[in-house]
Amino acid sequence: MTDILRLSIPLTAWLVAFSAVYGLQGVVCSERWAEAGLDLAAGRVALTMAWAAAAALQVACLLALRSPRLASRSAFVRRASLTLGITALVATLWTLLPVVATSLCL
Amino acid sequence: MLAGCAESLSTVHPEGPAAGAIATLWWVMLAGATAIFLFVMVLLLLAFRRGEGPSGPDADSRRERVWIQSLGLGFSITILAALTAYGLFVGERLRPRPGPDVVTVRAEGRQWQWSFGYADAPGRATEGILHIPAGRPVDVEITSSDVIHSFWVPRLAGKLDAIPGHVNVLRIEADAPGDYAGLGAEFNGRDYAKHRFTVRAHDETAWNAFLRGETP
Amino acid sequence: MNALRRHRALERIWAPRPGWRGKLTTVNNNDIGLMFLFLAVTFFVIGGILAMLIRAQLATPRSVFMEPGIYNQVFTMHGVIMMFLFAIPLFEGLTVYLLPKMLGTRDLAFPRLSAFGFWCYAFGGSLLIFSLLAGIAPDGGWFMYPPLSSTLGSPGINPDFWLLGITFVEISAISASVEIVVTVLLYRAPGMSLDKLPIFAWYMLVVAMMILTGFPPLILGSLLLELERAFGMPFFQADAGGDSILWQHLFWLFGHPEVYIIFLPAAGVVSTVLPVMARTTLLGYGWIVTAAISLGVLSFGIWVHHMYATGIPHMGLAFFSAASTLVAVPTGVQIFAWIGTLWKGRPEMHMPMLWILGFFATFVMGGLTGVMVAVVPFDWQAHDTYFVVAHLHYVLVGGFVFPMLAGLYYWLPHFTGRKRYFKLGTTAFWLVFLGFHGTFLLLHWAGLLGMRRRIDSIESGSGWELISLLASIGGFVMAIGFALVLIDVGVAVAVAVRGRRNPWRAGTLEWAMPAPSPSYNLASIPEVRSRNPLHDDPDLPVRIARGEGYLGDPASGLREILTVEIASGRPTSLVIFPTNTALPIVMAFVTGGIFVGMLIKAYWLVPLSLAGVAMLAIWWAWSLGSRKDQGLRPVGHGLVLPLASEVKRPPGWWGSLFLLLANGVFFGSLLFGYAFLWTVAPNWPPPAWLEPGLPGPLLALGGAALALGGIRLADRTLRRGTGPWLGLLAGLTGLAALGGAGVTVLTGTTPDAHAYDATLWVVAGYVVFHAALAGLMTVFLALRAAGGYLSSRRIGAARVVRLWTDYAVAAALLGLGAAWVPGVLT
């Protein structure tokens, strides 16, 4: 079962981070953000930091998957989980890039 | 087919800058997609003409590098990244950014009609015909009074939904004065097929006359 | 014992009862698989007839023969039948039949659950067909957006058939998925480690996990909309703090994974059939496994691309546009890996290969138009037009129907044991292929010319009259083609001569048994050393029949099968399966009472049916296990293994774990809905926030501690060999307290006042339900202990109850916490 988890965790972590950042964008552009006394510039900072945290989490996953203590004993699972880890890192960088590239609430 | 009538709802016969940018995007994507499709089909058919290749783990590694890494990953990622960037660029340009000559109007959809209001002529309302000035950006504030509808003038811009409880803002602009066909573009029940309206773009004098109430 | 005597003995043990009574009481994967397949094909024919009605109406402006009310039912039901009653059950049937054979086992993990799932599908599907025949079918489009589908837009009964009937059918998808996951993980031939799994098993593992996580948002949305329609709880009504966009999020959170759930099994068929047609092995097995997993998870992050026109800000849309284009990469990896496999081998043009070529041409086009609509500005023009209708048919017909037909022709010799008779198949292929493209290719252009989807007629002078006529002609050609396929297959099944066992000389285990397959699949279970056991050892089928594998001795007279360790494939336990029983069909019928009661507004039927289900469930669970420890049992080759009921984590525990995963996604979607309404919906804040008070939180915290501690105490005392009574009593008290905490929220809210109240009411109801469920399980456990069914070894049931207790506690703390926090903060 741990091998199944090794294969599932990287992209699941991407999905959770992606949904959280999308949710944060929804909150930033809603009335609740302004009611809390925050402005859009603060929103963009928060989103950028969330993106960086998501990327850092992916790097940590990759390092864990490669470490001798946590890596799988099966060569097949090791290779597959590393490929999935890199995929998840690329997905994090690519799909959340809009936090710095597009307008915020238009 | 009557040529004029047949084009009145056509997204590939644009009459405004937004529809124009999208139409260009479409032709670029069509050209690219056709090229990629032909490329993949040629590779597929060639597989039937070749004899069996070399076997063994080294041959398989080389095949994985060619097919999976270069074509499957490299080729796909490059094209998709470029296309996504192009699409986001176009999308950003179509945003309703504030500006000095932006005109604001309102559109309210219901089963099965459209009513329109004008920020520059409060109290003025029209049914079924939306009046706008030609050559100026217009923000349409769209909402619904019952179910979900969608406001769509294909020759001018993309569509935006009319959702009860929300106001969505669509930036449209007509290059020249004239009538442009509009459609309710979200299935809303029995008379959906007939849920239509017209956008009438006026030159400057006619627009001012409309606002003053001199024309219906 | 020779092979024939072994075969007869095993058939006596595994066969269903004879005649029609056998069909109603069977729990065997072969029967149930075939039943799913036949019913799915029947629904395909019905859905196809509806399509022909649509094409007849849209052929010309003068051919309008259905008035809008009828037309709207026809196009809605075409979508509903194809998506829910055809596509998913078809690959479920194929999987139920074939997967155990490929894995080298004798049945799926929970045979009675397979049967229950089938009957839920049959009864739920019948409800929908009834509505169609009675002219009261759903008519709001297959995705049923409120307010059109709620009381405002549809005051009649039509949408309720969708909301209740489809949810009833979805029970079969969830139950099949729990089974598929547990079967792939635990039920394989010894030695089949993860890297030796047949590629189809990897795809189905991913698909089953996707169903478990993708269907719950839809089930939640259906529940909320039905509550709104029946009791006025305003989840989707803007003036009472609801939002119709919430439905769209919940629906597409399901809807996007749904289409990949449909595509991936077909990709699994291609990955299995194509290498055999090319007389070689799959290129890049590991890459394809990672591509399938990537596709599975990435497809959950792209749902908003169905909502680009709803007014979400561009940054939000951009996230989903980037993810939607990214998802084309693992798809592309598979396409190029398949073509590379063809280059590697020597492809032969048999019927399956012809359909696979049809798949390539059609699906690649569909994928390319899919990338186009992933680009936001283009979708703003193409959304809700025939461009999307054309795209979706290209990917669904090209990407699902064509590969399934390839699979049908590939496995037909396995199903029937016969050779092909007519050569009708080639003609049928060309009619379908040319008819399909004739129908849908030009419809892309019609969409760009402004033809909206779901319009009930076309006007003269519109730019698409000719295209629509040609599309209708193409549609009829395609229909004739499909009819010829049915005839071709029907004749082959009925009339053709007997053929070779493995005509394709494939390497996977399903070809290592007689064709058609006996009820028990394999006479003995082989040890597996590679991905293609038949290529390693061409005599394997004979050695299996001679009983040279594990479990080759039918002396016990029981339905025996092995479980293995997940990663390595090392055998770990012996499982005894239940035999033929009417319990599943009776259970499905009583479950139907819940849905029918809501449908006809005979609300008393709902709690009555729930009670019936609970009693049947107790009977169901009671029939397992034994009153004394059985110890280790021999399974062949000198190996002895414990019974599955005497290991720490029996298969039922794993089944509960994955069911709770689905349940957790359901609950998470509910909390998401709460957060969404609070952030985005108009007319918030509500008139009043809920005051937590003191009794509620105290009951919740105290109850949590007692429940968690109680079941663990019971577990510890069982392991020490003494009675678990104190622990069970503590656990039960704790769960009752949790339920009480939930009741304080129920009584503190008026569910039809504001969406906030309605949401809190559902959250609290969920907490009370799960506290009651875990409580019922605790009582069951006490009765089992009293009856002598539990011991320090036979402790699996206690572990299962612990899972459900822990879940009830977590749901209570999270849910009630979320209900109370706003009242505390403000």
Side-chain angles (χ1 to χ4, degrees):
Chain A
M1 188 61 190
T2 348
D3 270 349
I4 299 287
L5 286 173
R6 285 188 182 93
L7 295 171
S8 323
I9 283 181
L11 279 169
T12 307
W14 164 79
L15 184 60
V16 171
F18 178 84
S19 307
V21 172
Y22 174 55
L24 180 59
Q25 186 263 326
V27 171
V28 165
C29 295
S30 76
E31 290 166 11
R32 311 283 162 259
W33 191 254
E35 278 167 16
L38 297 161
D39 65 359
L40 291 187
R44 199 173 285 270
V45 168
L47 286 164
T48 312
M49 282 173 29
W51 183 35
L57 176 64
Q58 289 297 337
V59 172
C61 270
L62 264 176
L63 292 174
L65 287 168
R66 296 187 59 186
S67 80
R69 203 165 50 90
L70 293 172
S72 169
R73 259 179 295 157
S74 149
F76 169 77
V77 173
R78 260 200 316 275
R79 273 197 314 270
S81 58
L82 280 172
T83 308
L84 289 166
I86 295 174
T87 306
L89 176 61
V90 168
T92 304
L93 294 172
W94 176 240
T95 61
L96 296 178
L97 185 65
V99 298
V100 297
T102 68
S103 54
L104 185 39
C105 294
L106 271 183
Chain B
M1 277 191 291
L2 303 161
C5 223
E7 287 171 11
S8 65
L9 292 167
S10 166
T11 64
V12 290
H13 292 86
E15 295 277 14
I22 296 173
T24 308
L25 174 61
W26 151 249
W27 292 116
V28 169
M29 291 198 297
L30 179 65
T34 309
I36 294 171
F37 176 71
L38 291 172
F39 173 57
V40 173
M41 289 300 110
V42 163
L43 285 179
L44 181 61
L45 294 171
L46 279 179
F48 286 82
R49 304 206 136 253
R50 300 166 44 83
E52 198 166 349
S55 56
D58 288 333
D60 273 354
S61 292
R62 194 184 47 81
R63 284 188 186 103
E64 282 188 18
R65 273 199 307 279
V66 167
W67 291 98
I68 293 174
Q69 293 176 9
S70 306
L71 284 172
L73 290 173
F75 178 69
S76 309
I77 291 179
T78 312
I79 294 185
L80 292 166
L83 179 63
T84 311
Y86 177 19
L88 291 184
F89 178 69
V90 173
E92 276 295 300
R93 273 175 43 208
L94 301 181
R95 301 287 75 214
R97 293 204 164 76
D101 58 343
V102 175
V103 170
T104 305
V105 300
R106 279 186 305 283
E108 184 178 287
R110 65 183 188 284
Q111 287 170 316
W112 284 277
Q113 283 173 11
W114 288 91
S115 321
F116 304 104
Y118 304 87
D120 296 326
R124 188 82 203 267
T126 54
E127 289 269 317
I129 302 183
L130 172 63
H131 298 263
I132 63 170
R136 286 173 67 184
V138 176
D139 279 355
V140 187
E141 295 176 345
I142 304 165
T143 190
S144 162
S145 57
D146 47 24
V147 303
I148 297 180
H149 307 280
S150 196
F151 178 97
W152 191 32
V153 191
R155 298 188 80 177
L156 298 186
K159 61 181 68 72
L160 196 51
D161 286 353
I163 300 171
H166 292 272
V167 176
N168 288 335
V169 180
L170 178 68
R171 170 68 52 90
I172 67 174
E173 184 177 331
D175 289 334
D179 275 3
Y180 301 96
L183 297 166
E186 179 67 53
F187 178 68
N188 55 13
R190 190 163 206 98
D191 284 341
Y192 173 54
K194 304 201 203 78
H195 197 208
R196 310 171 71 132
F197 60 96
T198 305
V199 173
R200 183 158 293 158
H202 301 282
D203 60 32
E204 199 180 331
T205 30
W207 172 244
N208 290 325
F210 169 78
L211 287 178
R212 283 194 299 269
E214 291 166 18
T215 47
Chain C
M1 180 181 259
N2 69 16
L4 186 58
R5 298 260 297 278
R6 176 171 294 101
H7 162 74
R8 292 214 178 107
L10 284 169
E11 268 297 310
R12 262 196 309 274
I13 297 171
W14 286 84
R17 296 183 204 154
W20 61 267
R21 210 170 317 209
K23 294 280 172 290
L24 301 181
T25 57
T26 183
V27 295
N28 185 276
N29 77 299
N30 293 325
D31 300 321
I32 294 170
L34 285 174
M35 284 150 70
F36 263 109
L37 286 170
F38 276 121
L39 194 52
V41 170
T42 307
F43 281 124
F44 180 71
V45 171
I46 299 176
I49 292 172
L50 294 174
M52 292 300 100
L53 290 174
I54 294 172
R55 283 314 335 158
Q57 174 115 332
L58 295 181
T60 73
R62 288 169 299 282
S63 59
V64 175
F65 63 100
M66 293 184 280
E67 58 99 27
I70 299 292
Y71 182 82
N72 295 346
Q73 290 183 37
V74 168
F75 83 72
T76 300
M77 287 303 286
H78 168 72
V80 168
I81 290 176
M82 290 305 196
M83 295 300 280
F84 291 112
L85 300 182
F86 158 65
I88 299 216
L90 186 82
F91 75 69
E92 263 172 34
L94 187 70
T95 306
V96 165
Y97 189 90
L98 271 182
L99 188 61
K101 301 174 173 55
M102 287 178 165
L103 293 173
T105 186
R106 286 181 172 150
D107 207 321
L108 289 170
F110 308 116
R112 293 175 299 175
L113 194 62
S114 313
F116 171 68
F118 172 76
W119 292 113
C120 285
Y121 163 51
F123 293 150
S126 306
L127 271 179
L128 281 156
I129 299 302
F130 168 77
S131 77
L132 185 63
L133 295 172
I136 47 177
D139 58 357
W142 86 276
F143 30 91
M144 302 284 288
Y145 282 177
L148 182 66
S149 62
S150 184
T151 31
L152 175 67
S154 302
I157 198 178
N158 314 42
D160 299 308
F161 276 100
W162 189 104
L163 296 169
L164 295 164
I166 294 298
T167 308
F168 194 10
V169 170
E170 277 153 22
I171 296 177
S172 82
I174 300 280
S175 68
S177 303
V178 168
E179 273 207 280
I180 290 171
V181 172
V182 177
T183 307
V184 172
L185 291 183
L186 297 180
Y187 290 75
R188 303 177 227 145
M192 189 182 278
S193 51
L194 285 178
D195 63 321
K196 301 190 191 63
L197 273 182
I199 190 71
F200 187 71
W202 273 113
Y203 277 96
M204 289 317 299
L205 179 63
V206 171
V207 168
M209 291 296 297
M210 288 171 74
I211 292 178
L212 290 176
T213 45
F215 274 55
L218 176 65
I219 297 175
L220 175 69
S222 306
L223 172 71
L224 297 183
L225 185 54
E226 187 56 40
L227 288 176
E228 175 172 296
R229 289 174 55 84
F231 304 124
M233 295 168 72
F235 299 101
F236 308 111
Q237 292 167 24
D239 35 11
D243 198 335
S244 50
I245 299 283
L246 175 61
W247 169 270
Q248 295 191 29
H249 279 293
L250 289 175
F251 184 85
W252 291 114
L253 266 170
F254 146 79
H256 197 86
E258 153 90 341
V259 302
Y260 285 90
I261 286 168
I262 291 176
F263 170 62
L264 282 175
V269 170
V270 174
S271 289
T272 305
V273 173
L274 183 145
V276 175
M277 293 290 116
R279 328 275 309 112
T280 180
T281 55
L282 188 61
L283 177 68
Y285 172 94
W287 287 100
I288 294 201
V289 171
T290 50
I293 296 174
S294 301
L295 208 50
V297 187
L298 286 173
S299 70
F300 276 83
I302 64 182
W303 79 91
V304 172
H305 72 215
H306 301 272
M307 299 165 63
Y308 281 163
T310 57
I312 292 171
H314 195 224
M315 180 185 282
L317 302 183
F319 294 143
F320 289 90
S321 185
S324 301
T325 49
L326 183 64
V327 93
V329 176
T331 317
V333 165
Q334 289 174 83
I335 301 267
F336 284 111
W338 290 327
I339 300 180
T341 306
L342 291 176
W343 278 54
K344 182 172 127 173
R346 221 177 41 236
E348 291 174 3
M349 194 64 87
H350 302 290
M351 272 313 303
M353 191 70 229
L354 200 54
W355 283 106
I356 289 180
L357 289 180
F359 150 76
F360 272 113
T362 315
F363 181 72
V364 168
M365 284 179 63
L368 290 168
T369 57
V371 169
M372 289 182 191
V373 288
V375 175
V376 176
F378 177 68
D379 188 66
W380 281 334
Q381 290 284 41
H383 174 69
D384 270 347
T385 70
Y386 261 77
F387 189 93
V388 175
V389 173
H391 158 71
L392 71 91
H393 283 89
Y394 264 79
V395 284
L396 287 173
V397 175
F400 177 75
V401 177
F402 289 0
M404 284 299 160
L405 286 168
L408 170 67
Y409 279 100
Y410 177 73
W411 278 299
L412 199 56
H414 182 276
F415 277 102
T416 62
R418 299 171 192 268
K419 296 198 317 191
R420 279 182 65 217
Y421 185 75
F422 275 155
K423 299 301 179 182
L424 259 188
T426 315
T427 312
F429 167 80
W430 285 109
L431 284 176
V432 171
F433 184 78
L434 294 172
F436 173 83
H437 287 274
T439 310
F440 290 103
L441 185 59
L442 290 177
L443 286 177
H444 292 99
W445 190 245
L448 291 180
L449 291 177
M451 185 180 183
R452 295 164 291 165
R453 60 190 292 191
R454 301 165 163 182
I455 50 175
D456 60 65
S457 55
I458 61 174
E459 290 176 9
S460 30
S462 63
W464 48 83
E465 274 181 80
L466 183 59
I467 294 176
S468 202
L469 177 62
L470 291 173
S472 294
I473 296 172
F476 277 92
V477 169
M478 188 171 44
I480 296 171
F482 279 121
L484 286 183
V485 171
L486 282 176
I487 295 175
D488 190 31
V489 171
V491 169
V493 167
V495 163
V497 301
R498 297 213 72 86
R500 271 200 330 242
R501 178 219 305 266
N502 185 1
W504 310 116
R505 275 163 283 154
T508 41
L509 281 175
E510 78 270 27
W511 300 99
M513 59 194 68
S517 163
S519 304
Y520 53 85
N521 296 341
L522 292 165
S524 61
I525 314 293
E527 180 110 27
V528 154
R529 267 174 275 282
S530 82
R531 285 177 206 145
N532 288 289
L534 282 183
H535 288 162
D536 293 344
D537 179 4
D539 290 326
L540 192 57
V542 174
R543 306 209 284 112
I544 288 174
R546 279 209 228 118
E548 290 181 26
Y550 295 91
L551 298 181
D553 183 2
S556 68
L558 300 170
R559 297 190 179 187
E560 295 176 327
I561 193 54
L562 298 174
T563 62
V564 302
E565 208 244 319
I566 292 178
S568 64
R570 188 179 48 82
T572 52
S573 78
L574 172 69
V575 180
I576 310 291
F577 275 155
T579 58
N580 308 316
T581 162
L583 205 47
I585 189 174
V586 173
M587 177 77 109
F589 185 75
V590 175
T591 307
I594 300 171
F595 299 99
V596 170
M598 285 297 298
L599 188 62
I600 62 178
K601 304 200 191 311
Y603 297 125
W604 53 268
L605 195 51
V606 177
L608 187 66
S609 304
L610 272 170
V613 168
M615 289 194 304
L616 286 169
I618 291 175
W619 186 353
W620 185 300
W622 196 272
S623 60
L624 300 168
S626 76
R627 285 195 152 102
K628 49 187 183 57
D629 288 352
Q630 306 280 325
L632 299 174
R633 299 270 282 267
V635 296
H637 291 224
L639 182 63
V640 289
L641 293 176
L643 278 183
S645 47
E646 295 180 19
V647 301
K648 278 199 306 206
R649 288 181 177 170
W653 184 90
W654 289 98
S656 280
L657 184 71
F658 287 104
L659 184 58
L660 285 172
L661 173 66
N663 201 356
V665 173
F666 178 92
F667 188 55
S669 307
L670 180 57
L671 295 179
F672 156 74
Y674 181 20
F676 176 84
L677 290 176
W678 174 74
T679 315
V680 168
N683 296 310
W684 277 61
W689 297 107
L690 176 72
E691 295 288 325
L694 216 43
L698 282 179
L699 280 173
L701 289 171
L706 267 179
L708 290 175
I711 188 66
R712 281 163 176 75
L713 179 61
D715 191 284
R716 180 123 40 98
T717 50
L718 274 174
R719 268 183 285 132
R720 275 199 254 115
T722 52
W725 316 111
L726 184 60
L728 291 180
L729 186 61
L732 194 58
T733 315
L735 289 166
L738 280 180
V743 169
T744 67
V745 174
L746 283 176
T747 50
T749 54
T750 325
D752 55 4
H754 190 274
Y756 165 74
D757 290 67
T759 308
L760 253 45
W761 202 89
V762 174
V763 170
Y766 184 85
V767 170
V768 171
F769 178 79
H770 281 84
L773 183 60
L776 185 64
M777 290 181 175
T778 308
V779 169
F780 175 81
L781 199 60
L783 292 172
R784 293 286 276 186
Y789 284 93
L790 299 179
S791 74
S792 61
R793 293 253 283 283
R794 285 169 289 129
I795 204 172
R799 295 280 154 82
V800 171
V801 176
R802 191 166 96 188
L803 268 181
W804 286 88
T805 304
D806 289 354
Y807 183 83
V809 168
L813 293 178
L814 271 173
L816 297 177
W820 286 321
V821 152
V824 167
L825 285 182
T826 53

